[in-house]
Amino acid sequence: MQIKSRKLKNVTSVFWNSQNNSLVLLDQRLLPWDVKFNEYHSVKDVSEAIKNMVVRGAPAIGVTAAYGMVFAAIQALSKFKRQEKQIEFLKASYSTLISSRPTAVDLENFARIILEEAINTNLSVENVLNKAHSLREKVIDECKNIGIQGEKIIKNGDTILTHCNAGAPATVDYGTALAPIYVAHSKNKKVRVIVDETRPRLQGARITAWELYEAGIEHSIITDNSAAFLMSKGEIDKIIVGADRCLQDGTIANKIGTLSLAISAKYFGIDFFVALPWSTIDLSGRKASDIVIEERDEEEVKFVTSMEKRILISNEKSPVLNYAFDITPAELIKGYITSEGVLTLDQLKKVIKK
Amino acid sequence: MQIKSRKLKNVTSVFWNSQNNSLVLLDQRLLPWDVKFNEYHSVKDVSEAIKNMVVRGAPAIGVTAAYGMVFAAIQALSKFKRQEKQIEFLKASYSTLISSRPTAVDLENFARIILEEAINTNLSVENVLNKAHSLREKVIDECKNIGIQGEKIIKNGDTILTHCNAGAPATVDYGTALAPIYVAHSKNKKVRVIVDETRPRLQGARITAWELYEAGIEHSIITDNSAAFLMSKGEIDKIIVGADRCLQDGTIANKIGTLSLAISAKYFGIDFFVALPWSTIDLSGRKASDIVIEERDEEEVKFVTSMEKRILISNEKSPVLNYAFDITPAELIKGYITSEGVLTLDQLKKVIKK
């Protein structure tokens, strides 16, 4: 299942290996200690990889799900001759994939696009595979442009706080929240990043810190509960985070801890930005109360798993509440960093309506 | 250095062993997996135990420092005949002790009381030891009364969020923030506690969860960054925390993460209380900007140490900022739970002036 690690600089977290028709995923659970890629060949295995967080980050999960639907097409064509049965299988595969994680909307959006492509055109592997490739390219391209647009709000000397990992692994390449920082750095702006460690799975301490270190960008890791204190000391100029779902009213769901950052930012008058591609926008008309917030296993909090070791870090018999995401209202968000520019809520609403 | 573990129900975290004139400290670094007591016999060893967090919690550190000054008296009397030299030694010991941790004021307050006792009366071990005993008894008594007073604000069915550990180990016995919860529970009020795990040293997940579990009080552990989300869902009725220092204007220094909770509580209209004994009040006239916030070693964040194992959980080459405390302004605090009642800021100021 493993292929040879590539050099860090060429890492993309999700890609298709056309030599053996497999989906290749960077195993993000092992970062930064091991840069390992796994190959997948079925809807079921892709769904498990999403659930187990081999792949994480809303856009990367979206692209993964698109390729998952490619496997659905391959399997439908090989198993069934009747179109009706093929469609039934494709719809069941779609349900399997979107139920693997409930909060990130990209998963749903991308899987649905491939499902519709499969149903509404002559079903062929080539068609759906090309569609999946084009979605992947679109996300990469969008992230590049998020970087170019977002760079405009970064001043020389800024210290920017970010939460979780909204960098290259989370989005196939470049990142959302980190993309503007990469562009600013490439333009020789001095920029420093404060990295929330992001309990319980430590995507900040493990992945964001690793990316920034490799890119030579000045940064420091903090515990999540240190952020407000740094804000109070005037050490944070702005906050940029990614998103797992953005409603039409500008409400976002993002990694647990985002809400607390946004509230503290408001209290201290610090601008709070959300960087996101189009695939993160939920066009279904859902309200905040309709967003399903994933609750994950309490073992994630009770134990720390790292470098092939697993140790208990809490009172073992105590129960744990482990919400993976939270919901931040638009009133706390200064701007939305998109490939079309850094938008106010009203501007975002106009773009969504187009 | 170790003596036999006592049954949990009799645990006090700091006490004097008169059989061999040693100070006995519950090793809080090992909780909840090991209930182990260490014995100390010198200023230097006591100072190290405070620095290394064998003992933690502002009042428990205060009492420990008082006994540390007893060792100073013992050493001064055995080393020097001239009073001048003895006082010099006592003052040097005082400096050693108060420099072991800079943020909690109880340390300074209690060590100074013993220093003054030693200087202003005929220096005798008996005198300073009795003074240290009386300070210890006073803290225990106060915590009992904090429980009795604080219970009045707890409604039947309340869910209370707390941060770090302001329970029995932190205060010799009973606790500050937990004392009202214990009293409410003993009066058969239904009360549930949400326990912030409290990175990096996990005093909530390890110690508070253990205490509550042993006491049979319903509770759940959460990651620190989940608190605001639970508040947004209406799942938190009130917040009670301890304090490491309370200025005369009501500003408090407490475990890192307290500020963020207080800001979120304000945003959601949830009452935020601070429970504290008199020894936590800083009467020096210091301002918030004068409080020294301890920065601890970055290894505390980069590695998790638990059950005799130590594992890396972050990108090893990234730097870390590890502030141990933060500062919460009085405007975010609904009330101060003291042994004299639950006081508003104005009432607290009046009591302080007495």
Side-chain angles (χ1 to χ4, degrees):
Chain A
M1 279 281 279
Q2 292 160 27
I3 64 165
K4 216 177 113 201
S5 294
R6 298 178 305 160
K7 280 190 187 161
L8 285 183
K9 288 193 178 165
N10 299 320
V11 162
T12 70
S13 58
V14 184
F15 62 95
W16 186 256
N17 180 352
S18 56
Q19 295 198 302
N20 63 355
N21 275 349
S22 70
L23 176 65
V24 187
L25 299 177
L26 171 64
D27 192 338
Q28 298 189 46
R29 300 169 305 178
L30 309 178
L31 292 175
W33 304 289
D34 213 348
V35 181
K36 204 172 87 176
F37 292 84
N38 304 331
E39 290 195 349
Y40 298 88
H41 301 89
S42 71
V43 173
K44 189 171 159 287
D45 290 350
V46 168
S47 174
E48 280 302 307
I50 294 170
K51 204 176 285 179
N52 298 336
M53 297 177 68
V54 169
V55 61
R56 49 147 296 282
I61 290 173
V63 172
T64 301
Y67 286 110
M69 287 302 294
V70 172
F71 292 126
I74 294 171
Q75 292 170 263
L77 285 164
S78 77
K79 279 190 176 171
F80 306 105
K81 288 210 168 144
R82 281 174 50 203
Q83 199 195 10
E84 198 179 292
K85 284 281 180 191
Q86 290 172 347
I87 289 175
E88 204 176 285
F89 183 85
L90 284 161
K91 285 185 172 169
S93 299
Y94 170 79
S95 297
T96 300
L97 283 166
I98 70 162
S99 68
S100 53
R101 293 196 76 188
T103 306
V105 76
D106 311 64
L107 170 57
E108 211 175 296
N109 281 340
F110 279 6
R112 194 181 53 250
I113 289 169
I114 304 293
L115 177 67
E116 284 166 3
E117 177 77 12
I119 293 176
N120 300 332
T121 63
N122 259 349
L123 180 59
S124 82
V125 175
E126 202 191 345
N127 274 357
V128 291
L129 187 57
N130 283 338
K131 192 74 190 175
H133 287 336
S134 78
L135 290 175
R136 178 176 177 278
E137 288 306 316
K138 193 171 176 190
V139 163
I140 295 174
D141 203 50
E142 263 206 293
C143 286
K144 245 191 233 178
N145 286 317
I146 286 169
I148 291 164
Q149 295 297 335
E151 183 270 339
K152 295 173 188 166
I153 62 161
I154 298 178
K155 288 192 187 131
N156 190 41
D158 265 359
T159 297
I160 296 167
L161 185 142
T162 191
H163 190 63
C164 197
N165 174 263
T171 66
V172 185
D173 213 348
Y174 299 104
T176 49
L178 294 192
I181 292 165
Y182 286 134
V183 175
H185 181 70
S186 75
K187 288 191 170 179
N188 294 319
K189 281 188 183 169
K190 191 175 143 49
V191 54
R192 179 177 176 232
V193 185
I194 300 295
V195 180
D196 271 4
E197 65 172 4
T198 317
R199 282 280 294 149
R201 292 186 69 117
L202 300 159
Q203 293 93 334
R206 292 191 297 110
I207 309 176
T208 300
W210 166 72
E211 272 194 78
L212 295 172
Y213 180 81
E214 292 296 328
I217 295 172
E218 191 188 344
H219 65 285
S220 291
I221 299 169
I222 59 168
T223 59
D224 303 316
N225 57 26
S226 306
F229 183 53
L230 288 180
M231 293 186 220
S232 77
K233 284 160 64 82
E235 290 186 20
I236 308 293
D237 296 303
K238 31 187 81 76
I239 298 174
I240 309 180
V241 299
D244 288 83
R245 188 182 292 258
C246 177
L247 303 188
Q248 283 159 295
D249 68 359
T251 302
I252 63 147
N254 192 44
K255 179 53 56 195
I256 191 81
T258 302
L259 173 61
S260 157
L261 291 176
I263 294 169
S264 292
K266 185 85 166 185
Y267 183 74
F268 291 111
I270 294 164
D271 291 342
F272 182 91
F273 295 95
V274 178
L276 75 176
W278 72 272
S279 59
T280 302
I281 292 170
D282 179 344
L283 295 168
S284 70
R286 275 189 191 86
K287 289 172 297 181
S289 56
D290 300 329
I291 299 176
V292 178
I293 295 295
E294 180 182 8
E295 280 188 71
R296 294 184 64 86
D297 198 291
E298 58 178 35
E299 305 277 295
E300 278 190 355
V301 176
K302 278 188 174 178
F303 292 82
V304 157
T305 308
S306 171
M307 305 184 84
E308 294 172 18
K309 285 182 201 150
R310 179 171 179 272
I311 53 173
L312 180 65
I313 58 167
S314 65
N315 188 52
E316 194 164 13
K317 290 178 178 164
S318 295
V320 167
L321 290 173
N322 182 17
Y323 292 103
F325 303 94
D326 60 26
I327 295 171
T328 300
E331 67 173 41
L332 299 175
I333 300 168
K334 170 77 176 182
Y336 299 81
I337 306 176
T338 74
S339 58
E340 309 210 2
V342 182
L343 310 177
T344 63
L345 177 59
D346 283 345
Q347 290 169 327
L348 180 79
K349 283 179 178 172
K350 275 180 202 151
V351 172
I352 292 174
K353 273 191 188 150
K354 270 186 203 167
Chain B
M1 278 284 279
Q2 293 160 26
I3 63 166
K4 216 176 113 200
S5 294
R6 299 177 306 160
K7 280 190 186 160
L8 285 184
K9 289 190 178 167
N10 300 320
V11 162
T12 69
S13 58
V14 183
F15 61 95
W16 185 257
N17 181 352
S18 57
Q19 295 198 303
N20 64 355
N21 275 351
S22 71
L23 176 65
V24 187
L25 298 177
L26 171 64
D27 192 337
Q28 298 190 45
R29 299 169 305 179
L30 309 177
L31 292 175
W33 304 290
D34 213 348
V35 181
K36 205 172 87 177
F37 292 83
N38 304 331
E39 290 193 351
Y40 298 89
H41 302 88
S42 72
V43 173
K44 189 172 158 286
D45 290 350
V46 168
S47 174
E48 280 301 307
I50 294 170
K51 205 176 284 180
N52 298 336
M53 295 176 70
V54 169
V55 60
R56 49 146 296 282
I61 291 173
V63 173
T64 301
Y67 286 110
M69 286 303 294
V70 172
F71 291 127
I74 294 172
Q75 291 169 263
L77 285 163
S78 77
K79 279 190 176 173
F80 306 104
K81 291 214 165 141
R82 279 174 52 203
Q83 200 196 9
E84 200 178 291
K85 284 281 179 191
Q86 291 171 346
I87 289 175
E88 204 176 287
F89 184 83
L90 285 162
K91 285 185 174 170
S93 300
Y94 169 79
S95 297
T96 301
L97 283 166
I98 70 161
S99 68
S100 54
R101 293 195 77 188
T103 307
V105 75
D106 311 65
L107 171 56
E108 210 175 296
N109 281 339
F110 279 6
R112 194 182 51 248
I113 289 169
I114 304 292
L115 177 66
E116 285 167 2
E117 177 77 13
I119 293 177
N120 301 332
T121 64
N122 257 348
L123 179 60
S124 83
V125 175
E126 201 191 345
N127 273 358
V128 290
L129 187 56
N130 282 338
K131 192 75 190 176
H133 287 336
S134 77
L135 289 175
R136 179 175 176 277
E137 287 307 315
K138 191 169 177 191
V139 163
I140 295 175
D141 202 52
E142 263 207 292
C143 287
K144 247 193 228 175
N145 287 317
I146 286 169
I148 291 165
Q149 296 296 335
E151 183 270 340
K152 296 173 188 165
I153 62 160
I154 298 179
K155 289 192 186 133
N156 190 40
D158 265 0
T159 297
I160 296 166
L161 186 143
T162 190
H163 190 64
C164 196
N165 174 263
T171 67
V172 185
D173 212 347
Y174 299 104
T176 49
L178 294 191
I181 293 166
Y182 287 134
V183 175
H185 181 69
S186 74
K187 287 190 169 180
N188 294 317
K189 280 187 184 170
K190 190 174 144 48
V191 55
R192 180 175 176 235
V193 184
I194 300 295
V195 180
D196 272 2
E197 65 173 5
T198 317
R199 282 279 293 147
R201 293 186 70 118
L202 301 157
Q203 293 93 334
R206 292 190 297 110
I207 309 177
T208 301
W210 166 73
E211 272 194 78
L212 295 172
Y213 179 82
E214 293 294 328
I217 295 172
E218 191 187 343
H219 65 286
S220 290
I221 299 167
I222 59 168
T223 58
D224 303 316
N225 58 24
S226 305
F229 184 52
L230 289 179
M231 293 186 218
S232 76
K233 286 161 65 82
E235 290 186 20
I236 307 293
D237 296 302
K238 31 188 80 76
I239 299 174
I240 309 179
V241 299
D244 289 82
R245 187 182 293 258
C246 177
L247 302 188
Q248 283 159 295
D249 68 359
T251 302
I252 63 147
N254 192 44
K255 180 54 55 194
I256 190 82
T258 302
L259 173 61
S260 158
L261 291 175
I263 294 169
S264 292
K266 186 85 167 186
Y267 183 74
F268 291 113
I270 295 164
D271 291 342
F272 182 92
F273 295 95
V274 178
L276 76 174
W278 72 271
S279 58
T280 302
I281 293 169
D282 179 343
L283 294 168
S284 70
R286 274 189 192 84
K287 291 173 295 182
S289 56
D290 299 330
I291 299 176
V292 177
I293 295 294
E294 180 182 7
E295 280 189 73
R296 294 183 65 86
D297 197 290
E298 58 176 37
E299 304 277 296
E300 278 191 354
V301 176
K302 279 189 172 178
F303 293 82
V304 157
T305 307
S306 171
M307 304 184 84
E308 295 174 15
K309 285 182 202 149
R310 178 170 179 273
I311 53 175
L312 181 66
I313 58 167
S314 66
N315 188 52
E316 195 165 10
K317 289 176 180 167
S318 295
V320 168
L321 290 174
N322 181 18
Y323 292 104
F325 303 94
D326 60 25
I327 295 171
T328 300
E331 66 173 42
L332 299 174
I333 300 168
K334 170 76 176 181
Y336 299 82
I337 307 176
T338 74
S339 58
E340 308 211 0
V342 181
L343 310 177
T344 62
L345 177 59
D346 283 345
Q347 291 169 328
L348 180 78
K349 283 180 179 172
K350 275 180 203 152
V351 172
I352 291 174
K353 275 192 190 151
K354 270 185 203 166

